[in-house]
Amino acid sequence: MPDEQSLTIVEADDDLWSQYATMARRGYGHPVPDITRLRPYADARVAVRGGRVVAGGLGLPIPQFFGGQSVPSASMACACVAPEERGSNLTVSMIAARLRPLQERGAVLATIWTTSTRYARRLGWEAPATVFTWTVPTDQLRNSFDPSDLEISHAAAGNEPLQRELAARWNGPWSRPGWWAHWQQQEHPDLTGSQFNRPGQPATGVLSLAFDHHPAQGRQLVVHDFWAADAATAGAMLAFLGRHSSRIATVLFQRTGLPPAPMLLHHLHRAGAATARSWHPWMLRVLDLSRAVRLRGWPDGVSVDLPIEVVTETGDATQPFDLRIAGGTGELTPSVRTGRVTLTRGQFAVWYAGGYRTAPAAQLAGVRGDPQTLAHLVRSTAEHEPWLSEYF
């Protein structure tokens, strides 16, 4: 087992980050271009043992929408531990060291995409929603959705004000930083954007797509962004994708590319026309419970005055709070009252993201409390569904 005492975790300079990129290539088994591309926008940390870089990762200080408000958050990206160091709990030490400077900059939430959900859950992260890619035959889109009178215009980048407006209708999307479009263009050089509008009216839909190689079909259409203000716009966007049927056999809605809405499935005529592939989920952790509640948006019509208990990070005790929501504002303060609902840190994150749609769903996930109280708590965050539309 490596000697933990000889380990130091530091902010990376150019030389250390170059060493990390080399180590990560060995650890992943392939180059990771984002290690270089995202560094200018991130906090970069590495672990050094015996003069050798053995782990590292980026922390991106990017707000996320919750309840219609932009909440300061940290997106953890490009993490890797050298293969010979795995199993030594180095990941736990790295996460703590990487989060600390981001919390000092104001982050109250943290988000990750990870295949290693077990360690993430131990640290208080939880997945608010499942994530799928959808593959749909292009002719099914052509046959299922009728062209409309919406006008279509094309450009390299999408309509950022509209995207931001629509993102605020969900829990989780980034309040996209200025470098987002440039980074996506680097990732996908042939990425194109389209927007949809009724004649003489502002745009109500934004679509971005690219073409990719397919081992059997030659080419495949890949949807990266699908933002629609209403059902008519969504139908027009899907009909537009269907018009590629003469040259493209399937459309792939990449993970996060399609909102968690059933309108696509309701319109497909052939059984099994759409196929789904499950991906590792995005996971959310609430770093500062009280500030996260205060900074989140809340429905004007919701009124809550409820004592709750949240299991501590060590997992051996609970901490009582008073949750009060009224007039579109929320407050979570220490309490002396006995809690009527008990949540782990992970369950708190799922509730915060609107991941529990009903009281029975919360009960099945292990949230403790009587059904009536749980229903009241769930309704307070159920106005928006969880959807992290950015993969990083």
Side-chain angles (χ1 to χ4, degrees):
M1 186 72 70
D3 179 11
E4 187 70 22
Q5 297 305 313
S6 66
L7 183 76
T8 58
I9 301 174
V10 297
E11 186 173 6
D13 59 19
D14 290 346
D15 178 62
L16 289 174
W17 199 245
S18 177
Q19 292 183 47
Y20 174 64
T22 301
M23 185 277 291
R25 179 171 185 166
R26 178 167 57 87
Y28 280 107
H30 58 79
V32 186
D34 279 348
I35 286 177
T36 301
R37 290 174 181 165
L38 290 176
R39 186 193 172 193
Y41 319 114
D43 182 88
R45 303 276 156 172
V46 295
V48 181
R49 193 194 304 277
R52 186 170 57 90
V53 173
V54 297
L58 295 174
L60 298 157
I62 304 172
Q64 291 178 262
F65 287 107
F66 287 92
Q69 293 295 320
S70 179
V71 181
S73 182
S75 295
M76 315 304 285
C78 299
C80 186
V81 175
E84 64 272 16
E85 294 277 341
R86 293 171 189 171
S88 62
N89 290 323
L90 179 52
T91 298
V92 176
S93 303
M94 280 299 302
I95 286 289
R98 291 169 60 203
L99 282 175
R100 195 172 301 115
L102 297 165
Q103 287 182 267
E104 291 170 356
R105 296 172 63 172
V108 299
L109 307 172
T111 302
I112 55 173
W113 291 92
T114 180
T115 58
S116 304
T117 55
R118 184 177 179 183
Y119 88 82
R121 286 193 172 98
R122 289 202 303 266
L123 296 177
W125 267 283
E126 191 50 89
T130 54
V131 174
F132 299 98
T133 60
W134 290 95
T135 303
V136 186
T138 317
D139 62 358
Q140 275 289 296
L141 295 176
R142 183 196 63 207
N143 296 331
S144 301
F145 297 92
D146 297 323
S148 70
D149 62 351
L150 267 67
E151 297 177 343
I152 306 172
S153 57
H154 306 288
N159 185 319
E160 292 182 8
L162 176 61
Q163 183 276 331
R164 183 180 176 87
E165 175 190 335
L166 298 180
R169 299 182 181 182
W170 304 86
N171 289 329
W174 279 1
S175 177
R176 290 182 176 174
W179 50 262
W180 165 268
H182 175 67
W183 170 53
Q184 285 295 286
Q185 207 69 51
Q186 287 182 302
E187 291 277 298
H188 313 286
D190 62 343
L191 190 70
T192 60
S194 304
Q195 61 182 32
F196 297 73
N197 64 280
R198 293 170 179 83
Q201 300 295 318
T204 54
V206 179
L207 182 71
S208 71
L209 54 88
F211 292 88
D212 199 0
H213 294 287
H214 189 282
Q217 301 165 4
R219 301 290 282 170
Q220 182 174 243
L221 197 61
V222 182
V223 175
H224 292 264
D225 265 325
F226 191 101
W227 297 95
D230 51 53
T233 302
M237 293 163 64
L238 292 166
F240 167 74
L241 294 171
R243 291 177 182 176
H244 293 78
S245 60
S246 63
R247 297 179 61 86
I248 302 293
T250 57
V251 176
L252 171 69
F253 295 87
Q254 70 152 10
R255 51 191 179 275
T256 78
L258 194 65
M263 63 88 59
L264 171 65
L265 299 180
H266 288 177
H267 285 77
L268 296 178
H269 303 301
R270 191 171 72 218
T275 58
R277 179 182 176 186
S278 179
W279 286 89
H280 50 272
W282 65 279
M283 303 187 77
L284 180 69
R285 176 177 171 182
V286 182
L287 305 174
D288 187 322
L289 302 181
S290 296
R291 288 191 62 217
V293 168
R294 178 167 54 83
L295 294 173
R296 189 191 192 281
W298 300 96
D300 289 333
V302 169
S303 178
V304 174
D305 185 355
L306 179 67
I308 67 171
E309 294 186 11
V310 180
V311 178
T312 60
E313 291 189 352
T314 57
D316 56 0
T318 58
Q319 185 175 1
F321 293 96
D322 283 324
L323 174 65
R324 294 186 175 91
I325 303 169
T329 62
E331 184 180 33
L332 187 72
T333 56
S335 176
V336 296
R337 296 193 291 174
T338 301
R340 295 175 59 191
V341 174
T342 301
L343 308 99
T344 65
R345 300 282 295 213
Q347 290 165 350
F348 189 97
V350 174
W351 164 77
Y352 185 90
Y356 299 131
R357 312 306 296 167
T358 64
Q363 286 181 306
L364 283 174
V367 181
R368 289 180 285 162
D370 69 86
Q372 185 174 356
T373 303
L374 276 180
H376 189 49
L377 180 67
V378 165
R379 282 195 296 269
S380 64
T381 59
E383 183 180 31
H384 297 90
E385 284 191 69
W387 176 34
L388 183 58
S389 49
E390 291 77 23
Y391 187 83
F392 51 90

